[in-house]
Amino acid sequence: MPVTAKELIEILRDIYENISANKEYLTQLDSAIGDADHGINLTKGFKSVMEKIENMGDKDCGSILKTVGMTLVSTVGGASGPLYGTAFMRAGQVVAQKTSIDFEDYIKILEAALDGIKTRGKAEKGEKTIVDTLEPAIEEIKINKDKGKDIALELSLKAAEKGMEYTKEIIAKKGRASYLGERSIGHQDPGATSCYIILKTVADKILKK
């Protein structure tokens, strides 16, 4: 770190490619407890994102993230579009007018994204959603930030993965999956999974810097 605006666009391109590579997996997870379209919708959304931001390397990071959020809201169906869209728009507010993102900014971005998702989705940890991946990741990165970004990121990612896998053990309380009640136990939440893919993509890129 710091991550420049051009590098931010590279990270977002990696997110698109990794979501696209996991499209069938995410859709398979969603077919068990949802509408069977999570991977398809997110791939479509991030493809539209790349078409919008590809030439925004001369813009500030806040404008890029705001464009990502607005594009996801308008192109991704179901609950994922508004939730991820709000997360990216809130993230953009953290780095408005900034031409690069440092480690402290990144933590604030994660916090703003989580706050946006919780406000928009009225979700809390333990309800089998994106929050179960994102909130533990943030808690861990904050606890370990004084140990250096590499250690903090690696521990944060482990916490995110643990949170994602924990969604197999709990009952869904939000969205279509909640209609299944106890039958949702045993299924990993697709939103928690896509959130982990996004966090891992970002961490992998930052760890190489």
Side-chain angles (χ1 to χ4, degrees):
M1 299 196 100
V3 171
T4 65
K6 286 184 179 177
E7 289 169 330
L8 175 61
I9 292 173
E10 289 175 12
I11 291 173
L12 289 160
R13 186 182 300 114
D14 287 352
I15 289 174
Y16 162 56
E17 289 175 355
N18 287 338
I19 289 290
S20 180
N22 284 281
K23 180 173 74 173
E24 297 303 326
Y25 174 53
L26 291 170
T27 297
Q28 184 184 3
L29 291 175
D30 197 28
S31 68
I33 58 173
D35 294 327
D37 57 5
H38 189 62
I40 296 166
N41 282 340
L42 273 190
T43 299
K44 177 185 169 190
F46 277 104
K47 183 180 180 186
S48 297
V49 162
M50 291 316 302
E51 291 168 357
K52 288 275 180 68
I53 67 168
E54 197 69 62
N55 297 312
M56 289 184 71
D58 60 341
K59 303 291 185 185
D60 67 274
C61 296
S63 295
I64 294 169
L65 291 173
K66 181 182 175 185
T67 301
V68 173
M70 291 174 68
T71 305
L72 292 177
V73 166
S74 62
T75 58
V76 178
S80 303
L83 291 174
Y84 276 125
T86 301
F88 277 96
M89 284 192 278
R90 290 285 187 93
Q93 292 172 3
V94 173
V95 288
Q97 307 300 320
K98 287 196 170 189
T99 55
S100 65
I101 299 171
D102 63 25
F103 190 49
E104 287 293 333
D105 290 331
Y106 180 57
I107 295 173
K108 290 176 185 172
I109 279 174
L110 293 177
E111 290 179 314
L114 176 63
D115 184 59
I117 288 170
K118 291 176 87 168
T119 301
R120 186 77 187 233
K122 301 187 179 353
E124 296 295 332
K125 193 163 67 174
E127 295 183 331
K128 207 178 183 88
T129 70
I130 296 169
V131 175
D132 291 307
T133 296
L134 186 53
E135 190 159 316
I138 295 171
E139 290 169 352
E140 202 67 18
I141 204 168
K142 288 170 70 176
I143 289 171
N144 295 289
K145 66 178 183 179
D146 292 339
K147 296 176 183 174
K149 77 169 173 57
D150 288 10
I151 292 173
L153 277 170
E154 286 171 2
L155 292 173
S156 171
L157 203 54
K158 285 181 181 175
E161 185 175 16
K162 190 176 176 183
M164 172 187 73
E165 292 181 349
Y166 175 60
T167 63
K168 295 176 193 168
E169 303 172 20
I170 55 180
I171 297 174
K173 295 183 179 175
K174 295 291 178 186
R176 183 174 290 273
S178 66
Y179 302 160
L180 296 176
E182 290 190 355
R183 285 184 292 130
S184 66
I185 293 175
H187 298 287
Q188 185 169 305
D189 182 65
T193 308
S194 60
C195 181
Y196 174 73
I197 292 169
I198 292 171
L199 290 175
K200 187 173 188 315
T201 303
V202 177
D204 286 349
K205 196 79 171 184
I206 294 175
L207 285 169
K208 290 177 183 173
K209 284 183 69 67

